[in-house]
Amino acid sequence: MNIADLRKSYEKAELNENASHADPLKQFEQWLQEAIASEVPEPNAMTVATVGSDMRPSTRVVLIKGYDERGIVWYTNYESQKGRELAGNPFAALQFHWVELERVVRIEGRVEKVSDAESDAYFHSRPLDSRIGAWASPQSQVIDSRTVLVTNAAKYAAQFMLKPPRPPHWGGYRLVPDEWQFWQGRKSRLHDRLRYTQTGEQWLRERLAP
């Protein structure tokens, strides 16, 4: 099989100005809920792209944990690579790809930390093993072997028992969107692509060539 010959015809749906929401957050909510209802694998998974001080971009997949008119929220280790990069350049891009629905959503904007109260509330809602894991993993750092993680997990489990506090290096980020793009696959590569850009308190909706 020649990888260059792999092709798919996109014919499941369409996206047009008349049928889409004027507010991109409402359009995103509709598509996310449809992805959940369709039982696509991990509909809450999104790629986060950041840029380091060396101007090299990097990506990773995380899980969205909340969204509202303030922005898109996820949680992670602040000392991870993405945390360090966001500290130096507080802008990022997100991407959801719901393959089965032939849809992509791209979101760009400034990133800020959520409040301590929000981070605390989410942290304490997590399973115990996940809370211990936040202490056990020095995310993005070089370790000798998996034994380091297992040993750390056992140490913090014994130390905190059933009530591990939120680590000071762990918490939430919120991306405040200033641009959204919604892509719906269409036949003959004539895809539908709508962009929303913020102009004051309003959103400008435009169609882009695919």
Side-chain angles (χ1 to χ4, degrees):
M1 172 64 71
N2 184 346
I3 193 170
D5 293 332
L6 293 175
R7 290 181 177 84
K8 176 183 178 180
S9 180
Y10 301 102
E11 303 179 20
K12 287 186 178 295
E14 63 182 44
L15 176 65
N16 61 60
E17 294 82 347
N18 295 329
S20 61
H21 292 281
D23 183 342
L25 181 64
K26 292 182 178 179
Q27 184 63 39
F28 171 73
E29 182 172 42
Q30 176 184 326
W31 273 20
L32 176 60
Q33 294 304 319
E34 288 175 359
I36 293 171
S38 299
E39 299 183 340
V40 303
E42 294 199 280
N44 54 335
M46 62 183 185
T47 300
V48 178
T50 56
V51 176
S53 59
D54 58 0
M55 303 306 294
R56 292 175 64 97
S58 61
T59 65
R60 71 288 291 161
V61 177
V62 303
L63 301 180
I64 182 175
K65 292 300 179 180
Y67 64 93
D68 56 25
E69 65 281 355
R70 296 173 298 169
I72 309 295
V73 174
W74 72 96
Y75 292 86
T76 190
N77 188 316
Y78 290 144
E79 297 175 356
S80 64
Q81 179 180 352
K82 57 185 170 297
R84 297 193 304 270
E85 291 180 347
L86 286 170
N89 179 28
F91 292 89
L94 309 177
Q95 178 170 289
F96 292 83
H97 187 192
W98 298 307
V99 177
E100 293 77 5
L101 301 180
E102 301 173 353
R103 288 174 173 172
V104 173
V105 179
R106 295 166 52 186
I107 314 167
E108 297 180 11
R110 186 176 182 87
V111 177
E112 60 190 23
K113 289 182 179 179
V114 306
S115 68
D116 287 343
E118 289 176 271
S119 290
D120 287 340
Y122 175 68
F123 183 79
H124 292 296
S125 75
R126 305 179 84 206
L128 177 60
D129 287 351
S130 296
R131 283 178 278 155
I132 294 296
W135 284 95
S137 175
Q139 194 173 114
S140 300
Q141 296 182 28
V142 175
I143 57 176
D144 291 335
S145 69
R146 183 175 176 81
T147 301
V148 173
L149 299 178
V150 175
T151 301
N152 284 350
K155 179 183 72 173
Y156 287 115
Q159 179 179 341
F160 296 127
M161 304 297 285
L162 299 178
K163 296 183 178 181
R166 178 173 65 89
H169 57 263
W170 190 98
Y173 286 108
R174 175 180 288 108
L175 182 139
V176 182
D178 55 30
E179 180 177 313
W180 300 71
Q181 287 193 34
F182 296 84
W183 181 95
Q184 175 69 63
R186 296 294 299 275
K187 189 175 181 180
S188 302
R189 295 299 185 264
L190 301 179
H191 312 302
D192 290 327
R193 184 179 172 193
L194 298 183
R195 179 179 67 185
Y196 295 73
T197 51
Q198 195 164 29
T199 56
E201 297 298 318
Q202 304 297 319
W203 289 96
L204 174 64
R205 179 178 51 191
E206 300 171 297
R207 176 175 288 270
L208 300 182

